[in-house]
Amino acid sequence: MSARLHHVIRRLVRAATTLLAASAVVFLLVMVGPDPLATIAQESDGIDTKQLAAEYGWDRPWPEQYLDWLGDALRGDLGTSIRTNEDAGSMIVDRLPVTLALGGASMLVALATSVLLALWASARRNQRGDRVVTGLMVAMGALPSFLLALALQWLAVQAKDLFGVTIVYVGGMPREPGLLELIQRFALPVLVLAMVQVAAWMRFLRSDLVDALESDMVVAARGQGLPERQLRIGHALRISLAPLVTLVALEIGTLVGGTLVVETVFSLPGLGRLLVDSLQARDVVVTLDIIVLGAVSIVIATMAADALAARLDPRINS
Amino acid sequence: MLLLTGCGSTVDGADAAVDDRPRRGGTAWMETAQEPPVLNWYLGSGGMSITDVLTTPLKSTWVVLDDRGAWKPLLATTVPTLANGGVRELPDGGMDISFAIDERATWSDGVAITCADLQFTWKTVMDPRWKIGSRIGWQLVEQVECATPHAVRIVLREHHAPYLVNLLNTAPLPKHALAKADFNTVWNNRITVSSGPFIFAGWERGDRITLERNPRWWRAGPEGKPYIDRLVTRFAPDASTMKLDLRMEDADMIGLSPDTNLPAELDAIPTASFDVRPGAGWENLTFNTGRFPFNDVRVRRAAAYAIDRDALVDVVLRGQVPRLDSTLLPYQVPYYHPTFTSYRRDITQVDRRMAEAGWTRDAQSRWRFGDGRLAKVLLTTTTGNPLRLKTVQLIAAQLTEAGFVTEILMVKPEVFFGAVVSRGEFDLALYAFTQGVDPSQAKLFSCSEIARAPDWTGKNNFKYCRRDVDRMLAAADRELDVERRATLTRDLAEVLATDMPALPLYQQPDTLAWNHRLRGVKPNAMGRHYWNIDEWWLAE
């Protein structure tokens, strides 16, 4: 067996163990929470909670319940929502596009902005422009995303009052199909998510770029008379992108958690909002599925990030 | 009735004159904070009030309540009562209800609505295979007789005074569409046939429910009602988002939970009107009559005299609704009888009642019982409701000032209802009951409704039990004559005011706000604002 294959198998076994442990912990945490039957009994007169408990198997020991859930999940059956009586897997699939669209768009915006700002700031290292931009990023990173969201909503309302027309909406899915309304609806949530990401990524990339520009390789290239632009983009940026890619890949893994606040504030029916609704309704089935799905995506994203980083920067493999 | 209405800006007179003629067409965008789990309102999981509200445009009931709380016939041609002969007391102790079905009535697929549908509804509700939310009233039905497709006679084995609410304010089920279906699932995600002015068009979970104009609406009339083509209800996460959407003209109507400054906030939106009226929920202080110190009626009455209910309404609600002096609501004419009027803050009365019960004030002016115990009060309510937080703080301050040692406990709603009030882990609890139209209070005050282990179900959280009161409650529920039932209900109100299992505080304000372009809205006293939705229309 080659060393490479051995390495891959070891990573896969480690990932599976992590997932198993994470799912068991999440299962336990969800099940020790407030009794879902109490909420259901409170909201619906006359429902037979004993029958419900028997239907969902909550009258059996926890280890048995966990193994059943795990077995079903491995076969692709994520169970039935207590709240809606729908197939939990279909509910998750239905909500995924919104979360992916939000996450994808915000990452593209954030990545482009971060690279441009980091290149600009690293070229002006320790000058006033660099200090202003870096300071702004620190401030932006310190702001909670819900505060950013509320501030942007307030600005949108002021703009409507000022101009008499809606420039961007403060939430909700488009009323009718069409690109313009889609942009008007998604502009603010994408901006909020992107701002949070830019605040972290830009400083990270700037710092790596500064180091890379002082590295032996770049200094040697500069000595060979390569133009500064080519040095920065062709050499320094390429080296610095490897750790950033890891960061971005990890962000994909935490997509559900990241969009939770934004989807809630901007009334978007994504996975984050489904998680909030399920938690509020004590829908343990859907809650458990989404959180475990989040854990799965983090593990997969981490493995993908490692592979991508090794490809971008050959030093990592060696 | 106290009403607050507002309009952010005036409507131009000329435009208003032109706009007063209803127009056909357009999409109305509504917003609500809650999404129903399923659409089938007969199932246990469909028993939430939001399900009833959202499916109202899809239903015609036999009788309906208008905006003043009066019963009107809808599918039935009359409102059957004892007075008009529609209801009869039978010699065997039972009763029967007879009425004719409007011959114009049809389902959205064109099939006539007949007595067979009512018969099918009764059988479906009583079928043990289906997870029905409530069978109250239906379980007393012995027979539904259909002399002709449009002549109904319902026979009940005993008198059931709330028959209008429990049996006739219900929508029939279409026998032709559901006879062979699995009722536990068939109408969970879509309503296939409608008897109302709209038909179901789609439900995008987490986002919206879309209804479309029923082209076969049997009450369309020469005007071709309903006027609106599409009715879309979107689910917003909170009140702030809904207010923003109304201001951005992205929502035509929003329903909001009460808050101290809500009317002022809505008044500042120039393109919207709003209406605040006392709603169907009544906020109360529940005394735990099963444990010290409120197991003594004299201490309960002393505590009631320590609380300034007018101040609560003025400070917390800025006078949006008045003080409530009954466990029934003013719209429940002729049953409503205010018997708690004498309970105004009066420290002399507090001192007198406590002294009668054997309490004396210590050096710090706190009440101590003969055995040295303090008058400790654990005051509890739910988290997540700013109004309740303000209210318990005021009440705690007033009780402390009167000599009670008060501790506040805020708990999450599911814990509050699931573990605290049902199991009697409190002295005083602040929360609301929702009052229907019928004055029956047996579910609240009967001994049999006290929650007990192991299930802890039952709504008598007061732990209040008097056999003579049980008899009064049962007698009121059996009495078909309105005046005689009103007398029994008033007698009961006197007992409740003396025994003080609960101190009513106020009716929760029901706030509705809508865009100026939406016309024809007539808010309803019981929060059933869609009652005349076929008359709503959209101005350009």
Side-chain angles (χ1 to χ4, degrees):
Chain A
M1 188 186 292
S2 73
R4 194 175 188 82
L5 187 61
H6 189 257
H7 174 73
V8 170
I9 291 172
R10 207 172 53 201
R11 292 296 305 265
L12 285 174
V13 170
R14 200 185 295 165
T17 316
T18 308
L19 277 179
L20 213 61
S23 67
V25 170
V26 169
F27 187 88
L28 212 63
L29 286 176
V30 172
M31 296 312 278
V32 296
D35 184 2
L37 294 174
T39 311
I40 294 162
Q42 169 206 328
E43 288 180 347
S44 316
D45 261 358
I47 197 156
D48 187 346
T49 48
K50 273 185 193 160
Q51 187 190 329
L52 202 66
E55 242 172 68
Y56 286 91
W58 295 333
D59 49 359
R60 290 177 301 140
W62 285 1
E64 205 178 306
Q65 290 185 46
Y66 172 68
L67 288 176
D68 267 6
W69 173 82
L70 191 65
D72 289 345
L74 288 173
R75 283 192 297 274
D77 176 8
L78 296 183
T80 306
S81 160
I82 302 160
R83 185 168 59 105
T84 65
N85 218 19
E86 271 186 298
D87 175 56
S90 309
M91 287 171 81
I92 290 170
V93 169
D94 286 350
R95 302 295 188 93
L96 207 52
V98 171
T99 302
L100 289 179
L102 262 182
S106 69
M107 276 181 191
L108 283 178
V109 171
L111 205 56
T113 315
S114 301
V115 169
L116 289 175
L117 282 176
L119 280 171
W120 188 85
S122 63
R124 289 158 185 78
R125 187 187 170 197
N126 292 335
Q127 292 174 19
R128 190 194 290 174
D130 176 31
R131 283 200 294 268
V132 168
V133 170
T134 312
L136 270 176
M137 292 301 115
V138 171
M140 213 156 78
L143 277 177
S145 54
F146 78 89
L147 211 62
L148 272 173
L150 294 179
L152 289 176
Q153 283 183 327
W154 181 82
L155 282 174
V157 172
Q158 301 311 309
K160 160 87 166 53
D161 287 352
L162 192 66
F163 302 114
V165 289
T166 302
I167 297 164
V168 285
Y169 288 100
V170 294
M173 291 292 282
R175 289 178 168 196
E176 309 292 345
L179 186 63
L180 178 65
E181 200 193 334
L182 188 72
I183 293 169
Q184 284 179 307
R185 297 268 176 194
F186 273 67
L188 293 189
V190 165
L191 194 58
V192 172
L193 281 174
M195 282 168 85
V196 174
Q197 287 158 346
V198 168
W201 296 353
M202 181 268 162
R203 281 180 293 146
F204 190 81
L205 186 60
R206 177 206 161 273
S207 165
D208 272 9
L209 270 173
V210 167
D211 288 347
L213 285 168
E214 287 170 359
S215 68
D216 294 346
M217 189 176 83
V218 175
V219 169
R222 189 178 281 127
Q224 287 168 2
L226 275 180
E228 195 61 23
R229 190 186 173 84
Q230 198 180 333
L231 273 177
R232 288 179 189 285
I233 297 172
H235 288 73
L237 184 61
R238 188 184 162 122
I239 298 170
S240 309
L241 273 182
L244 183 68
V245 162
T246 312
L247 212 63
V248 174
L250 285 178
E251 190 76 26
I252 295 171
T254 57
L255 205 59
V256 176
T259 56
L260 192 142
V261 170
V262 166
E263 285 175 7
T264 304
V265 175
F266 290 102
S267 314
L268 295 170
L271 270 187
R273 186 144 166 234
L274 180 62
L275 178 61
V276 173
D277 291 346
S278 304
L279 274 168
Q280 281 173 348
R282 299 285 168 269
D283 190 339
V284 288
V285 178
V286 178
T287 303
L288 188 64
D289 290 342
I290 297 176
I291 297 177
V292 172
L293 187 75
V296 171
S297 59
I298 288 173
V299 169
I300 292 172
T302 310
M303 288 171 67
D306 287 352
L308 204 59
R311 186 164 282 258
L312 278 170
D313 187 351
R315 290 175 305 175
I316 293 173
N317 263 348
S318 61
Chain B
M1 181 187 291
L2 182 87
L3 288 180
L4 277 178
T5 53
C7 185
S9 71
T10 54
V11 178
D12 179 76
D15 283 352
V18 172
D19 277 347
D20 277 347
R21 288 192 305 272
R23 291 176 58 246
R24 273 282 307 277
T27 302
W29 296 84
M30 334 299 277
E31 276 187 15
T32 174
Q34 217 179 357
E35 182 172 9
V38 298
L39 291 177
N40 188 343
W41 61 91
Y42 275 105
L43 295 183
S45 47
M48 296 162 76
S49 58
I50 187 66
T51 314
D52 185 44
V53 169
L54 291 183
T55 54
T56 296
L58 304 173
K59 299 184 281 196
S60 289
T61 50
W62 305 103
V63 298
V64 68
L65 283 163
D66 69 9
D67 57 334
R68 288 166 292 124
W71 289 111
K72 301 278 177 202
L74 189 56
L75 283 171
T77 53
T78 53
V79 177
T81 61
L82 204 60
N84 65 18
V87 172
R88 291 183 309 172
E89 296 176 344
L90 302 178
D92 61 356
M95 64 182 276
D96 70 359
I97 307 163
S98 303
F99 59 89
I101 298 174
D102 194 317
E103 294 195 10
R104 297 169 300 164
T106 60
W107 296 100
S108 55
D109 56 8
V111 175
I113 299 174
T114 65
C115 180
D117 292 316
L118 177 56
Q119 217 168 30
F120 173 71
T121 306
W122 164 54
K123 286 181 177 163
T124 303
V125 170
M126 292 312 297
D127 190 326
R129 286 178 299 164
W130 314 136
K131 298 173 185 172
I132 300 297
S134 172
R135 294 185 168 96
I136 294 173
W138 295 102
Q139 87 280 19
L140 300 175
V141 175
E142 266 185 349
Q143 193 55 255
V144 175
E145 294 172 5
C146 302
T148 71
H150 293 95
V152 177
R153 179 172 176 253
I154 306 173
V155 184
L156 283 79
R157 69 176 65 91
E158 59 185 66
H159 291 185
H160 184 62
Y163 66 94
L164 283 172
V165 171
N166 292 334
L167 298 176
L168 299 192
N169 191 215
T170 59
L173 294 167
K175 184 181 178 184
H176 67 285
L178 300 181
K180 289 174 185 164
D182 175 355
F183 196 65
N184 286 335
T185 56
V186 65
W187 270 9
N188 279 4
N189 299 315
R190 58 196 299 260
I191 303 291
T192 47
V193 184
S194 159
S195 57
F198 287 83
I199 53 175
F200 178 83
W203 184 2
E204 288 160 55
R205 289 260 185 194
D207 184 30
R208 67 185 69 173
I209 284 180
T210 305
L211 308 182
E212 282 173 3
R213 184 174 178 276
N214 177 359
R216 291 198 174 108
W217 171 227
W218 63 277
R219 285 167 61 96
E223 309 92 336
K225 292 189 278 189
Y227 299 116
I228 294 172
D229 281 343
R230 279 200 310 166
L231 190 69
V232 184
T233 303
R234 288 190 298 183
F235 309 111
D238 53 42
S240 304
T241 306
M242 287 195 279
K243 282 182 277 186
L244 278 177
D245 286 343
L246 185 72
R247 189 164 173 184
M248 297 283 283
E249 295 175 84
D250 197 21
D252 289 313
M253 177 181 271
I254 58 174
L256 295 159
S257 301
D259 204 353
T260 309
N261 295 318
L262 189 55
E265 284 179 60
L266 294 173
D267 210 24
I269 301 177
T271 52
S273 304
F274 71 94
D275 176 277
V276 183
R277 61 182 62 216
W282 57 282
E283 203 77 3
N284 83 99
L285 273 178
T286 288
F287 288 93
N288 185 347
T289 68
R291 85 178 194 184
F292 184 84
F294 292 134
N295 53 351
D296 186 328
V297 64
R298 292 165 298 188
V299 182
R300 296 201 291 273
R301 297 183 72 186
Y305 279 115
I307 293 162
D308 187 347
R309 294 181 295 147
D310 289 319
L312 293 180
V313 168
D314 290 343
V315 174
V316 179
L317 288 166
R318 301 248 163 97
Q320 291 175 51
V321 290
R323 188 188 70 227
L324 179 65
D325 284 319
S326 170
T327 56
L328 293 180
L329 305 183
Y331 63 71
Q332 293 179 291
V333 180
Y335 309 105
Y336 169 73
H337 180 48
T339 46
F340 288 76
T341 42
S342 61
Y343 291 99
R344 307 284 183 97
R345 184 168 164 86
D346 184 344
I347 297 298
T348 321
Q349 287 281 3
V350 177
D351 291 348
R352 210 182 99 201
R353 309 281 166 190
M354 292 301 277
E356 278 172 13
W359 295 73
T360 50
R361 284 190 187 267
D362 65 11
Q364 291 162 284
S365 203
R366 298 173 305 181
W367 290 110
R368 277 192 190 275
F369 196 50
D371 58 7
R373 280 184 290 175
L374 285 166
K376 281 188 181 170
V377 176
L378 178 64
L379 172 58
T380 182
T381 191
T382 57
T383 51
N385 185 325
L387 275 187
R388 287 205 175 128
L389 176 62
K390 291 175 203 167
T391 307
V392 287
Q393 284 170 338
L394 267 176
I395 290 171
Q398 290 168 356
L399 286 172
T400 304
E401 208 179 300
F404 292 88
V405 179
T406 313
E407 183 193 338
I408 294 175
L409 175 67
M410 307 283 295
V411 281
K412 290 169 74 176
E414 60 271 21
V415 180
F416 180 84
F417 290 106
V420 177
V421 286
S422 57
R423 297 180 189 210
E425 302 293 334
F426 70 101
D427 296 311
L428 206 49
L430 174 77
Y431 60 104
F433 290 111
T434 302
Q435 189 69 51
V437 184
D438 192 84
S440 174
Q441 297 188 92
K443 270 200 148 189
L444 292 187
F445 298 110
S446 296
C447 298
S448 60
E449 292 297 324
I450 295 176
R452 290 187 177 87
D455 295 336
W456 299 104
T457 51
K459 292 198 169 172
N460 183 344
N461 297 324
F462 325 99
K463 316 295 172 197
Y464 174 71
C465 182
R466 265 181 61 172
R467 296 295 166 195
D468 55 337
V469 171
D470 270 12
R471 283 191 289 275
M472 291 170 84
L473 288 163
D477 279 6
R478 278 196 307 269
E479 182 53 64
L480 297 176
D481 180 83
V482 172
E483 280 313 317
R484 286 201 298 268
R485 192 177 185 207
T487 306
L488 288 169
T489 309
R490 286 185 209 132
D491 291 346
L492 189 66
E494 298 286 353
V495 176
L496 291 175
T498 309
D499 273 3
M500 190 64 65
L503 178 66
L505 301 177
Y506 51 81
Q507 280 173 268
Q508 290 178 329
D510 180 7
T511 309
L512 193 70
W514 63 95
N515 196 313
H516 285 160
R517 79 177 192 127
L518 183 63
R519 309 288 173 87
V521 179
K522 288 183 187 168
N524 176 296
M526 274 66 61
R528 299 177 182 191
H529 304 306
Y530 282 2
W531 72 279
N532 71 330
I533 198 153
D534 61 333
E535 292 172 358
W536 294 11
W537 56 281
L538 292 162
E540 271 186 294

